[in-house]
Amino acid sequence: MNFGHSSEKNKNLSDEEKKSSELAPQFADQQGDRWSFVAVLPDTSFIHTIHHSKRTAEQAAIFLRKIKAKSDGQAPLFLSDAWFYSEVLFETYCHYKAVPYSGRGRPPHPIRIVDEQLKYAQVYKQRDSKGKLISITARIIKGTEAEILAIIQKAGRSKTINTSFVESRNGKYRKDDARLNRKTACHSKKVEYHDAHADFLTTIFNYCRQNEALKELINPNAARFETKYLRKSPAMAEGLTDKILTVKELLLYRVPMDSIL
């Protein structure tokens, strides 16, 4: 998800980034000078991690380290667009095995072994010269197609390899955050305010917005004015709260001290 000053958007993308972009070259030139990396849990649509920076491999590595630190550290299934995540994923979820020294010459470097549990696929979108979508192709980077589809279908919310969950979140960011709109009076002039607004909106999405796909049927024979469905927010689906919070409740919530220390 990108935004940026029109006068700065071209110089902040390298030739390699433009070449590897899912957009045609003339549309890749229109990418912004600021990027928000967003990780969404497909089971609950909970925004797990968001990181604001330039869109570079170094910043992608920081983003992945944040994901790993906020989880159990096990390598999960990753689905993304066709950018430079492969190498940083392999470097984040790996261990190094020492090679025995033969006694002659320089000691060999340790061998990198990527975690077997890591599964990764990319969704490549091809567009024509006008930006119209022509085709969508899935590329298996780590694991097999059968293994990846089994993980996706187990959640019961999707049947194919896609990035629809994160694209849906990105669309909501653009709809609800006027700071992302270029050439308007609302466009962010300072990075600090933009990042803070995006972080706050992330919390709103997780705790204060109900997700229709998560609603649970609790009273199939409900009469008029009786509750038929239990409406859920992503945070409820994750077991973090027992109700959909209002914005006032969110702002007045006192974080427990033991979670800070």
Side-chain angles (χ1 to χ4, degrees):
M1 182 176 60
N2 66 303
F3 85 106
H5 301 286
S6 299
S7 61
E8 297 181 356
K9 60 192 177 186
N10 290 337
K11 68 180 182 181
N12 289 297
L13 280 180
S14 65
D15 293 338
E16 181 181 355
E17 289 175 322
K18 294 175 184 179
K19 184 177 180 180
S20 62
S21 173
E22 64 179 20
L23 302 174
Q26 61 268 35
F27 292 97
D29 288 341
Q30 299 174 7
Q31 297 293 312
D33 60 336
R34 188 72 173 170
W35 194 270
S36 293
F37 294 85
V38 180
V40 179
L41 303 180
D43 294 356
T44 60
S45 296
F46 187 86
I47 302 174
H48 182 273
T49 306
I50 185 169
H51 175 65
H52 314 287
S53 64
K54 300 289 186 181
R55 191 169 194 182
T56 63
E58 292 76 13
Q59 293 297 327
I62 296 174
F63 172 60
L64 290 174
R65 287 198 293 269
K66 286 184 177 180
I67 294 177
K68 188 175 182 179
K70 294 171 64 175
S71 63
D72 59 5
Q74 298 296 318
L77 166 65
F78 281 91
L79 302 175
S80 74
D81 52 10
W83 282 73
F84 40 59
Y85 296 106
S86 301
E87 180 59 29
V88 291
L89 264 176
F90 295 160
E91 187 62 30
T92 303
Y93 292 95
C94 73
H95 65 277
Y96 286 86
K97 182 179 180 181
V99 179
Y101 181 47
S102 63
R104 298 183 61 184
R106 294 182 179 179
H109 294 292
I111 299 175
R112 185 181 71 178
I113 301 177
V114 180
D115 293 355
E116 287 294 329
Q117 293 180 331
L118 178 63
K119 304 294 184 291
Y120 177 46
Q122 292 181 342
V123 177
Y124 177 74
K125 299 176 183 178
Q126 185 180 5
R127 301 177 185 272
D128 60 17
S129 59
K130 296 183 178 181
K132 184 178 180 181
L133 187 64
I134 300 176
S135 63
I136 301 177
T137 306
R139 299 173 176 174
I140 309 300
I141 308 299
K142 180 72 167 60
T144 65
E145 184 176 2
E147 291 173 336
I148 293 175
L149 288 176
I151 296 173
I152 294 173
Q153 295 171 4
K154 183 179 179 180
R157 297 192 63 198
S158 184
K159 296 181 179 179
T160 61
I161 298 174
N162 63 82
T163 56
S164 59
F165 295 103
V166 70
E167 293 295 344
S168 174
R169 294 295 98 181
N170 289 348
K172 288 180 172 58
Y173 277 109
R174 295 187 179 96
K175 178 177 69 69
D176 293 349
D177 190 352
R179 289 179 176 274
L180 298 177
N181 298 326
R182 295 196 192 114
K183 299 182 180 179
T184 67
C186 301
H187 179 13
S188 290
K189 307 303 185 297
K190 292 186 177 181
V191 167
E192 293 82 1
Y193 296 149
H194 168 270
D195 293 356
H197 194 167
D199 291 339
F200 177 65
L201 196 57
T202 299
T203 310
I204 295 292
F205 289 154
N206 284 340
Y207 290 88
C208 303
R209 297 278 181 87
Q210 72 176 34
N211 190 311
E212 285 295 321
L214 300 175
K215 66 183 181 181
E216 180 182 347
L217 180 63
I218 58 176
N219 188 5
N221 300 318
R224 182 179 295 181
F225 304 121
E226 290 184 352
T227 302
K228 185 175 182 179
Y229 292 98
L230 174 62
R231 308 286 177 174
K232 291 185 178 183
S233 65
M236 288 179 65
E238 285 292 320
L240 301 176
T241 62
D242 57 0
K243 67 173 185 178
I244 299 176
L245 302 181
T246 64
V247 176
K248 181 178 180 180
E249 289 173 330
L250 180 67
L251 293 175
L252 295 178
Y253 179 76
R254 179 173 293 180
V255 179
M257 290 300 297
D258 56 353
S259 66
I260 300 177
L261 302 177

